Amino acid sequence: MHAENLTIPLTRLEHRDEFIGRHIGPDEHVIAGMLAAIGTRSLDTLIGETVPAAIRLQRPLDLPAPMPEHAALAALKAIAAKNVLKKSLIGQGYYGTHTPPVILRNLFENPGWYTAYTPYQAEIAQGRLEALLNYQQMVIDLTGLEIANASLLDEATAAAEAMTMARRISKAKGNVFFVDEAAFPQTIDVIRTRAAYFGFELVFGKPEDASTHDLFGALLQYPNARGEISDLTTAIATIKGKGGVVAVASDLMALVLLKSPGEMGADIALGSSQRFGVPMGFGGPHAAFFATRESHVRSMPGRIIGVSKDARGKTAYRMALQTREQHIRREKANSNICTSQVLLANIAGMYAVWHGPEGLRTIAGRIHRLTALLAGALGVSGRDFFDSFELKVGAGETAKIIKAACDAGYNLRRVDDATIGISLDETTTREDVAALLNIFGKTTPVEALDTARPCAIPVTLQRREPILAHPVFNTHHTEHGMLRYLKRLQNRDLALDHAMIPLGSCTMKLNAAAEMIPVSWPEFARMHPFVPLDQAQGYLELITGLENQLKAITGFDAICMQPNSGAQGEYTGLVAIRRYQNANGQSHRNVCLIPKSAHGTNPATAQMCGLEVVVVACDDNGNVDVADLKAKAEQHAANLSCLMITYPSTHGVFEEAVKDICAIVHAHGAQVYMDGANLNAQVGLCRPADIGADVSHINLHKTFAIPHGGGGPGMGPIGLKAHLAPFMANHVVQGIAGPHGGQGAVSAAPWGSASILPISWMYMTMMGGTGLTRATEIAILNANYVAARLKDHYPVLYTGSQGRVAHECILDVRAIKAATGVAETDIAKRLMDYGFHAPTVSFPVGGTLMVEPTESEDKAELDRFCAAMIAIRDEIRRIENGEWALDASPLKHAPHTAADLVGDWTRPYSRELALFPLPWVAENKFWPFVNRIDDVYGDRNLFCACVPMEDYAAS
């Protein structure tokens, strides 16, 4: 030990801010050199040159000091201990499940899976694309329909998406949408919110009564909220006969045994895949499944994984059709949903792979048998059900029975004063059934009850068609087999465990292990979202603490935690504005101003809220054209609802006129919605509410360290000024205390994807106010360092007035493309040979690459990336000077794979240059699993299910 360590103050030895240095890449020794490369003398000077003085926060964030990892984990464990875990038999779309340990450890808790991004670069995402294809095949088999997407956010929002899809494809002229009165109450709640701004009229009733209305579509629930099952074939046929489109909300575990919605004639099937191995997590995240008929595929919301081939003819996977729908179609997009719940969909799909068809039938059969035994012993007869039933207990008896059950360790569902509901699940045992019977004074042994092998599924509703016949569901049933299959797929994907992912507007920062550990804790993972709140005090303390942290960071007066994605946050914010304006006699305000540079979800979200989008021009420097904004605000003053603006801008700069922009909008009585996609450049330096925003969404999966999971989950809570707080989302089942009582929901669960909130809590707690501010400063430093290193090779398209970028920079490839034919896509593919994921391609400007390095990457990684980009530019010069023909260059043949190591080689560049283009590449070589994928072939030959095994052999 150096002598100085024996004499320094104890506070330094305690090193309570240690995590800050673990999270942030550059240390003090290299920052000076980075600043010199940029051409500025200090970090403070750089920030002053980047962030307008008029918006700078003049005081430190009002947050506690940083806390070391072990202390933060201990503090959160103490909070978690305040949750009281009981076996929840509440049902209503949420059920106990066993996550297979091989999947828990090797997928759910594995950074090789959870730190990947949405698979836009398909050649280095073949593992999770195959896993998602498995998921789609599982959904196709169980729903009996022809095509499925790669998941949506939750069951309730999937039902709302089905409603709008029905309107798109129905030829009926009516404006009525029918909803099964026995649909889950949270689903009805979300549909009410969504329908209001589309102007749809909702009608409720029994399925057999739906056809009496002039409707364009219907949502039926099977099994329904009461647990009942019935054959919907006739009702569906009658509705369709009048031009209506029928969606059936269902349950994958039930469909293992039940006649499928597709066989009944449904156009759409949807629901939650939660009970396939995904913990309840107090409401999420969970992957909603969504399937339809192939003729409707172009109207289906969400991402779809399809099969194509690579340059060698090898089978390859990619996102098909709507890959970048919001950016292309904007307000005409099918939906504002630009992601999936990939990590959760992969867990659910692997659950099916692990158990296979026989295993699933055993689990579903056990659930049903135990339910039938319990129901029969309690005197329930003459009803058809799968896993749930309601029981009449006598006037005034419900509370007594629910309390007795609670005392015995079980949560039952209150229906009314004389009725309770019970739902069994995979975790239910015969001992649980005996304990439940004892609560009702029944003592007959379960073994004696089972002698009759009771069944409450009529023969006409029992599934006849086979399920999960593909070999993938019938192969990996030993732990070694499953372990190696998961590892094989993981090896095909480039995630943050291998290299930086410099995607602009995506903020692929560190997802620290200490932040991730609590997500698996039973206290957080196993809680039903509708438990009595006295059992969820730990969750409520966590959520309140997180809200307070976010208030301090953003300056807002209130936080709504319900939105479970960034796009959902946009929607929730605009809904709050519209509710506020309606309550103040301003329902006529229906114009939304959106800058041309905006993210594509902005106009898509605006149209979902019944707003007319008016585009505001940008000037030559990429800033909002203030004169154009002012003119359009004046032109639409009487009907102006709001402005949607991203800050810093999507062009990667802090616009100096932002406060003036907000003032112009406010002067015309409208509201300002700030897209929080780039909040990582604001934290500790400025605050949205101080700038002038009335509401903003906060991407916890970007700025606050929740991982992207390969394309989901995410969380998009919103911050609101006090005047909008009474209009934020609430929940019909589990009401949230506050001024917003009675407001409708936007997501299925009251607090959205609550089980991943500990990640952001840990991040902010370990960083403290000083660490969060430092992270922002270094994010800006890293972006400006990359810009400085690359500007002589690729022009930086936009900078601020003092030549600085914010936390990301746009590299302009258009002149290169015009001179050589080398496109931004070619550079993206060639980067794979250097071991890097590409920056964001052609957004927000076509022909560009947007780089966001985040604060978590150290100088050595930034230098490797810059070296790769410079080497690629040198390769392009060899095309420019005629040494290589474009089509014979490594850029057009990239990415190169192990297959390029063997066989004839007639190209003008060497194999070494193709595969090991810089000396350090071989030290940590990432091998793309396929060569360049043929996107056109994939869309022209659409196939979105598991590939027959003979096709693998052929390729």
Side-chain angles (χ1 to χ4, degrees):
M1 180 181 288
H2 293 294
E4 64 184 82
N5 290 67
L6 300 176
T7 58
I8 61 176
L10 176 61
T11 52
R12 285 180 57 192
L13 290 173
E14 289 176 317
H15 206 182
R16 293 184 63 80
D17 61 355
E18 179 183 17
F19 180 75
I20 297 172
R22 306 294 190 192
H23 174 83
I24 293 174
D27 61 26
E28 296 298 331
H29 300 293
V30 303
I31 287 175
M34 295 173 71
L35 290 167
I38 293 169
T40 193
R41 64 180 181 273
S42 71
L43 192 55
D44 286 343
T45 302
L46 174 64
I47 299 304
E49 294 168 347
T50 305
V51 185
I55 64 169
R56 284 292 301 274
L57 186 63
Q58 299 302 314
R59 61 186 183 280
L61 288 175
D62 186 17
L63 290 173
M67 191 180 290
E69 291 171 305
H70 66 275
L73 284 167
L76 188 56
K77 193 69 173 177
I79 293 172
K82 298 176 184 179
N83 288 332
V84 179
L85 280 183
K86 298 181 184 293
K87 276 205 168 183
S88 288
L89 309 181
I90 298 168
Q92 302 294 281
Y94 301 94
Y95 307 89
T97 184
H98 294 303
T99 308
V102 66
I103 295 174
L104 177 69
R105 175 59 60 90
N106 297 290
L107 197 164
F108 185 52
E109 298 177 339
N110 184 343
W113 287 87
Y114 66 68
T115 68
Y117 191 66
T118 303
Y120 289 120
Q121 298 297 331
E123 292 85 353
I124 52 174
Q126 290 295 292
R128 64 188 180 281
L129 285 169
E130 179 172 325
L132 288 171
L133 207 66
N134 295 343
Y135 169 84
Q136 290 179 183
Q137 182 69 65
M138 172 191 78
V139 173
I140 288 167
D141 281 7
L142 292 174
T143 62
L145 288 165
E146 297 159 352
I147 196 161
N149 69 16
S151 74
L152 293 175
L153 298 175
D154 59 43
E155 180 169 350
T157 56
E161 294 288 348
M163 174 178 65
T164 54
M165 177 177 165
R167 179 62 282 173
R168 288 193 295 274
I169 63 179
S170 174
K171 293 181 172 58
K173 294 182 180 179
N175 200 41
V176 173
F177 187 73
F178 178 89
V179 181
D180 192 334
E181 64 184 13
F184 291 142
Q186 67 271 20
T187 298
I188 293 174
D189 197 10
V190 170
I191 285 178
R192 285 186 190 276
T193 300
R194 192 75 65 91
Y197 299 103
F198 282 109
F200 299 153
E201 178 186 349
L202 297 179
V203 173
F204 299 87
K206 296 182 172 66
E208 57 268 27
D209 298 331
S211 61
T212 62
H213 303 277
D214 182 17
L215 47 81
F216 68 83
L219 174 75
L220 311 180
Q221 187 94 38
Y222 165 79
N224 68 22
R226 296 188 287 265
E228 301 161 342
I229 55 175
S230 61
D231 196 329
L232 301 173
T233 303
T234 300
I236 290 172
T238 305
I239 296 167
K240 292 176 69 173
K242 297 185 67 174
V245 174
V246 181
V248 173
S250 195
D251 178 311
L252 290 182
M253 190 64 77
L255 292 180
V256 171
L257 301 182
L258 297 183
K259 184 178 181 179
S260 71
E263 187 179 352
M264 293 181 185
D267 301 292
I268 300 167
L270 60 99
S272 174
S273 59
Q274 176 266 314
R275 67 191 309 177
F276 271 36
V278 181
M280 289 184 286
F282 204 47
H286 306 135
F289 66 88
F290 196 99
T292 190
R293 302 199 178 274
E294 192 163 354
S295 57
H296 304 320
V297 65
R298 292 186 181 272
S299 296
M300 183 162 62
R303 302 298 191 220
I304 308 168
I305 308 307
V307 179
S308 188
K309 62 181 182 179
D310 76 353
R312 292 178 176 270
K314 181 179 180 178
T315 297
Y317 311 119
R318 56 183 283 279
M319 291 197 295
L321 299 180
Q322 296 101 327
T323 297
R324 305 187 71 196
E325 184 200 19
Q326 288 79 23
H327 296 314
I328 297 167
R329 299 186 66 199
R330 296 174 70 84
E331 68 269 20
K332 294 178 178 151
N334 286 332
S335 167
N336 75 335
I337 300 302
C338 60
T339 187
S340 303
Q341 296 278 30
V342 168
L343 187 68
L344 300 315
N346 282 338
I347 292 171
M350 289 302 173
Y351 179 93
V353 170
W354 174 244
H355 287 295
E358 285 306 314
L360 290 179
R361 279 191 280 265
T362 297
I363 294 168
R366 180 175 70 248
I367 293 169
H368 179 67
R369 177 67 60 79
L370 291 173
T371 307
L373 291 171
L374 178 62
L378 294 176
V380 175
S381 61
R383 283 185 246 168
D384 301 329
F385 54 80
F386 167 62
D387 65 355
S388 304
F389 60 89
E390 291 185 353
L391 180 67
K392 294 292 183 183
V393 294
E397 292 298 307
T398 293
K400 297 177 186 177
I401 293 172
I402 285 181
K403 183 181 185 304
C406 186
D407 291 343
Y410 301 91
N411 288 318
L412 307 182
R413 179 169 61 91
R414 181 189 185 279
V415 178
D416 57 39
D417 286 343
T419 313
I420 61 168
I422 302 176
S423 297
L424 304 191
D425 57 49
E426 180 188 7
T427 69
T428 306
T429 65
R430 66 173 64 200
E431 289 77 18
D432 292 322
V433 171
L436 291 166
L437 289 174
N438 187 60
I439 292 166
F440 289 91
K442 309 289 185 181
T443 57
T444 305
V446 173
E447 295 77 5
L449 296 172
D450 192 42
T451 56
R453 307 288 192 270
C455 177
I457 303 174
V459 173
T460 55
L461 282 179
Q462 292 176 16
R463 176 177 282 273
R464 294 189 294 269
E465 65 266 34
I467 59 170
L468 307 182
H470 190 276
V472 75
F473 300 108
N474 295 276
T475 303
H476 310 291
H477 297 161
T478 67
E479 183 148 346
H480 257 158
M482 188 64 170
L483 172 68
R484 290 165 183 166
Y485 181 54
L486 290 170
K487 178 63 174 174
R488 188 159 71 247
L489 297 187
Q490 179 190 335
N491 288 345
R492 298 174 186 173
D493 288 12
L494 192 149
L496 283 175
D497 62 339
H498 182 90
M500 71 181 286
I501 299 179
L503 284 159
S505 196
C506 299
T507 315
M508 299 294 291
K509 63 170 64 180
L510 171 72
N511 314 120
E515 295 157 4
M516 301 302 297
I517 287 171
V519 177
S520 299
W521 289 348
E523 300 95 323
F524 290 134
R526 295 181 186 172
M527 183 155 285
H528 194 289
F530 302 153
V531 298
L533 289 181
D534 61 357
Q535 297 176 21
Q537 290 303 299
Y539 254 122
L540 297 183
E541 182 175 335
L542 166 76
I543 291 166
T544 300
L546 190 54
E547 289 174 350
N548 289 335
Q549 289 170 323
L550 293 175
K551 287 177 187 178
I553 289 166
T554 63
F556 287 112
D557 303 302
I559 303 290
C560 174
M561 282 291 183
Q562 194 171 118
N564 51 7
S565 79
Q568 277 287 86
E570 292 179 23
Y571 178 73
T572 308
L574 291 193
V575 165
I577 289 173
R578 297 232 67 190
R579 286 172 173 169
Y580 166 77
Q581 290 170 340
N582 291 346
N584 286 277
Q586 299 176 343
S587 58
H588 61 279
R589 289 187 175 272
N590 66 345
V591 172
C592 178
L593 301 179
I594 301 180
K596 184 179 179 181
S597 62
H599 193 282
T601 57
N602 287 180
T605 300
Q607 67 85 23
M608 289 172 63
C609 293
L611 294 170
E612 175 191 344
V613 174
V614 173
V615 177
V616 177
C618 292
D619 63 24
D620 292 340
N621 296 316
N623 299 318
V624 172
D625 186 326
V626 178
D628 189 54
L629 171 76
K630 188 172 183 180
K632 286 174 177 170
E634 291 174 354
Q635 177 186 350
H636 299 282
N639 297 315
L640 188 59
S641 173
C642 59
L643 164 75
M644 298 184 80
I645 186 170
T646 303
Y647 200 74
S649 76
T650 312
H651 288 155
V653 295
F654 282 91
E655 298 187 48
E656 295 187 4
V658 65
K659 294 191 83 168
D660 295 334
I661 288 169
C662 294
I664 290 168
V665 173
H666 288 146
H668 293 285
Q671 303 291 300
V672 175
Y673 170 88
M674 184 172 286
D675 188 309
N678 293 338
L679 187 61
N680 205 53
Q682 289 195 50
V683 177
L685 303 182
C686 55
R687 305 193 305 177
D690 298 341
I691 293 170
D694 299 289
V695 58
S696 177
H697 86 266
I698 305 159
N699 285 324
L700 298 187
H701 53 287
K702 292 184 179 182
T703 307
F704 298 104
I706 290 176
H708 287 73
M715 270 291 281
I718 60 171
L720 310 95
K721 291 280 186 69
H723 66 283
L724 292 180
F727 304 97
M728 61 188 182
N730 210 301
H731 201 274
V732 70
V733 180
Q734 189 79 281
I736 304 168
H740 55 310
Q743 297 291 355
V746 296
S747 302
W751 290 280
S753 295
S755 72
I756 55 177
L757 295 179
I759 300 169
S760 295
W761 186 95
M762 283 290 295
Y763 171 67
M764 287 189 267
T765 299
M766 293 188 295
M767 293 291 281
T770 55
L772 292 172
T773 303
R774 185 68 166 181
T776 308
E777 293 169 343
I778 301 302
I780 292 171
L781 170 69
N782 281 357
N784 279 277
Y785 178 73
V786 169
R789 286 287 316 273
L790 296 180
K791 66 182 180 181
D792 292 336
H793 306 276
Y794 306 88
V796 175
L797 185 56
Y798 296 121
T799 62
S801 62
Q802 299 188 57
R804 303 302 180 202
V805 299
H807 63 309
E808 59 194 5
C809 61
I810 298 176
L811 305 178
D812 195 349
V813 185
R814 291 173 295 182
I816 291 173
K817 186 175 184 178
T820 67
V822 173
E824 64 279 6
T825 300
D826 299 321
I827 297 172
K829 302 306 180 187
R830 183 59 172 147
L831 270 170
M832 298 175 188
D833 292 328
Y834 288 80
F836 286 106
H837 193 290
T840 299
V841 176
S842 286
F843 175 81
V845 179
T848 66
L849 298 168
M850 183 160 61
V851 182
E852 182 184 357
T854 84
E855 71 275 10
S856 297
E857 301 301 339
D858 62 19
K859 180 176 180 293
E861 185 75 351
L862 299 181
D863 285 340
R864 280 189 289 270
F865 172 74
C866 291
M869 289 293 291
I870 293 168
I872 291 171
R873 184 65 184 92
D874 289 339
E875 292 174 0
I876 296 171
R877 291 189 180 98
R878 295 173 76 173
I879 298 171
E880 287 175 310
N881 66 26
E883 181 179 348
W884 294 333
L886 174 62
D887 290 342
S889 70
L891 283 105
K892 283 297 183 183
H893 286 284
H896 299 82
T897 69
D900 292 301
L901 284 169
V902 296
D904 293 337
W905 188 263
T906 59
R907 298 172 190 171
Y909 56 94
S910 68
R911 279 193 169 105
E912 182 179 8
L913 180 65
L915 297 160
F916 306 104
L918 286 174
W920 46 262
V921 172
E923 298 174 7
N924 189 31
K925 176 65 180 173
F926 181 86
W927 292 96
F929 186 64
V930 295
N931 292 103
R932 183 88 60 105
I933 294 175
D934 188 336
D935 291 329
V936 174
Y937 178 89
D939 280 347
R940 287 180 177 172
N941 301 273
L942 191 64
F943 189 85
C944 301
C946 287
V947 177
M949 294 307 292
E950 55 267 25
D951 284 15
Y952 287 104
S955 66

